Amino acid sequence: MAYLYLLPAFLVYAAFLLYPLVRAVQISFYDWDGLTLASWVGFQNYADVLADEGLRAAFGHALVLIGFFAVLPTVVGLVLASILNRARVRGLPFFRTVVFLPQVIAMVVVAVAWRRIFAPDGGLNSLLDAVGLGSLGRAWLGDYGTALPAIGFVGTWFETGLVTILLLAGMGRINPELYEAARLDGAGPVREFLAVTLPSVRGEISVALTLTVIAALRTFDLVYVTTRGGPGTTTSVPSYEVYNRAFQLGQVGSAAAIGVCLTVLIFAISFVITRIGDRGDS
Amino acid sequence: MTRSRLATLTAGALGVVVLAACTPGSNTASTPAPTVSSVNTDAAKLGNVTLTIWDQEVRGGQAAQMQKLNDEFQKAYPNIKIKRVSRSFDDLKTTLRLALSGNEPPDVVEANNGRSDMGEFVKAGQLLPLDKWAEAYGWNERYPASVRQYVSYSPDGKTFGEGNLYGLPQVGEVVGIYYDKKVLADAGVTAPTTWADFETSLATLKGKNQVPLMLGNLEKWPAIHVFGTIQGRTTPADQIRELAFGRQGPTWNTPENTKAAQTLVDWVDKGYLNPGFNGEDYDPAWQAFSKGTGAYLIAGTWLQADLQKAMGENVGFMLPPGDTADAKPVATGGTGLPFSITSKSKNPDAAAAYINFITNAKASAVLATTGNLPLADTAEQQSAGLQKDVFTSFAKAVDGDGLVPYLDYATPTMPDTLGAALQDLLAKKATPEQFLATVEKDRSAFVAKNG
């Protein structure tokens, strides 16, 4: 009987999520241009995903982005949150808002703004000039070495706020007596952080990592607006390839296959992260 | 556990239902290639009909001409009601596919010429061949063969550049060289009349600490126009056409194309391009040019209205010069997006009358006064300043049969492949030989499949 109550929600879920998902899996087994009759190719599209050097590179770029979108923000967020939490600074809500601000802005707007900052005559190069480091200036998004890190940096800037706020909330829930006990035992700030704070926010870390890793893997708007995968193919990512193949190149089957692979990858990584996070609690 | 098992089962069941339902595309596939037997050109006698028209004329002068011509058409044929749907180029491109495969597509659509759009639609039997109307309305006299090739496909969509007529464009485009008269004069350079003069002037300008040539190549495609311009000096026009139309025939691996790629690399080595061009946006680049940075800008006629507004009398436009001052012109160019009739349209005669109306001699005059470059009767239009340069250049290119297609027309994947390969070439990540090998690989893979 209980399932009956779930039915309305399930129908919506099925119509807007399960059906498209199953349909995408189905399309991924066809060679289809989106217009004429598709032809069955079995696992050929998946074989191509593995065989295509450019696509393998795209997945590689996505993994690099995880470092910038997830790992860095978590480290920075931990430091920032414990400082904000410990110092009990006045005007904490203000700092919280400032740190969280990037999250409020649409990614497309963020991307347009950073594209101007990274431009050859943009803000970053002017700043370098002003402090006498003009020789370091370059076309950040047009340089083969810096384009991917530049995009990654935008991700770090974007996600750090979210992670910090999450961790700050987690740290707020820690019983102050724990800190007192640690201090009585003679623990310094670092020891206190490792022994009390870090284990207590394990759950929040795993949530933060899950969210940011997913954000890293599905990055599309940022790449689309800033570099369109360039220079050359140094910043192409799987989600961009999905769009490109489905809407620009008319390779809908192949696009669906990449999408399915990406979904599986995201699912696997989040699964591992939640598993590790949960183990600490039980 | 039971809940998740139920979910799995349901999902599985759902999957089977879906898989049994249909192969992707099966609801649209059985359309045979359409034919047209007889046509009626008397639009006033077609009775009361409604025409749904999808266009992408949303900006400035484009929107103005479309509005004006639609109003005039309504006045001339009150029995035909126009329902206009206007979208930006990108939005049109992504929604047109779905709209055309639906049961009630628009009557008239603006579809991009290339293989990835018009070619695919022709292959799927979604567009009507316009040849019967072309005969009746005299479109073949209105537009010369060098223009019609851009809207011609074989009925199976496999051959681009010849066959049936599938659309009619309003405006023309040609890629040439804009020059800043003041920057040239300050460096003691006169506008070059031969290619050798042009290259010499690049060196002179560099010597005077000017940026000889502006390029903003963040979007990847702008360099295609620069490369195409150089290629027009080294490679015979026929070969470029075959390459760009993705035909069996010449390959990219020729000494002529190698020379073109090498020239481009030499320009980079000699510092003729603004630094950081691969990370510079297209728009800021031409805006910088309009404010006096850079002597030359290799770009299409679509920038004419903006540059004239910003620079007034200080800017000129020329076709890429040849070996001698009176050499036969060769320039990358083509048409704006053509207007096509969908095969499911219930009023193809009314649609054809509309297309005829927006491309006739009167329409050309409207196009010219709203700052567009009309395809027909270009040289006869009133114009001044930069617009005059552009009009005479385009007329010269068309009359001299000197238009060569955009290189990225060649295959559906070519815009991507060529754009990325050129960024590699310009950044010296690839040698001219490696660059040509990459592009040739894309072409030969497509040609092998397409036949």
Side-chain angles (χ1 to χ4, degrees), chain A residues 3 6 10 14 18-19 22-23 26-27 30-38 115-116 119-121 139 141-142 144 224 226-233 243-244 247-251, chain B residues 2-3 6 10-11 14-15 18-19 22-26 28-29 90 93-94 97 101 116 120-121 123-124 126 218 220 275-276 278-281 284 412-413 416 420 423-424 427 429:
Chain A
Y3 288 126
L6 289 174
F10 178 77
L18 291 181
Y19 174 72
V22 172
R23 183 84 173 145
Q26 185 209 0
I27 291 175
Y30 287 87
D31 179 13
W32 189 34
D33 60 8
L35 290 169
T36 49
L37 189 67
R115 195 174 66 179
R116 289 308 302 147
D121 56 350
L141 294 173
Y144 281 68
Y224 179 77
T226 52
T227 62
R228 300 220 163 193
T233 52
Y243 163 82
N244 197 21
F247 291 106
Q248 307 282 344
L249 307 182
Q251 302 170 350
Chain B
T2 40
R3 207 184 65 186
L6 181 84
T10 328
L14 211 65
V18 169
L19 289 173
C22 59
T23 304
S26 58
T28 57
D90 282 328
K93 190 178 163 77
T94 38
R97 249 167 204 275
S101 49
S116 56
E120 297 269 297
F121 301 150
K123 203 198 300 176
Q126 288 164 342
L218 185 62
K220 296 189 190 184
N278 263 347
E280 178 84 281
D281 266 328
T413 49
D416 239 26
Q423 280 187 333
D424 285 344
K429 297 280 166 185

Side-chain angles (χ1 to χ4, degrees), chain B residues 49-58 66-67 69-71 73-74 80-87 92 96 99-100 104-111 170 338-342 345 347-348 350-358:
Chain B
V49 295
T50 302
L51 275 187
T52 306
I53 294 157
W54 280 26
D55 65 56
Q56 55 97 41
E57 311 293 316
V58 290
M66 201 80 255
Q67 188 62 47
L69 289 174
N70 281 352
D71 290 347
F73 183 77
Q74 293 277 247
I80 301 174
K81 190 169 166 259
I82 291 180
K83 217 171 114 195
R84 182 182 175 205
V85 179
S86 203
R87 291 200 166 89
L92 186 80
L96 199 52
L100 283 178
E104 290 196 359
D107 299 281
V108 176
V109 297
E110 237 184 321
Q170 281 185 297
F339 288 77
S340 302
I341 305 178
T342 59
S345 167
N347 308 297
Y354 174 77
I355 292 177
N356 181 57
F357 191 88
I358 60 169

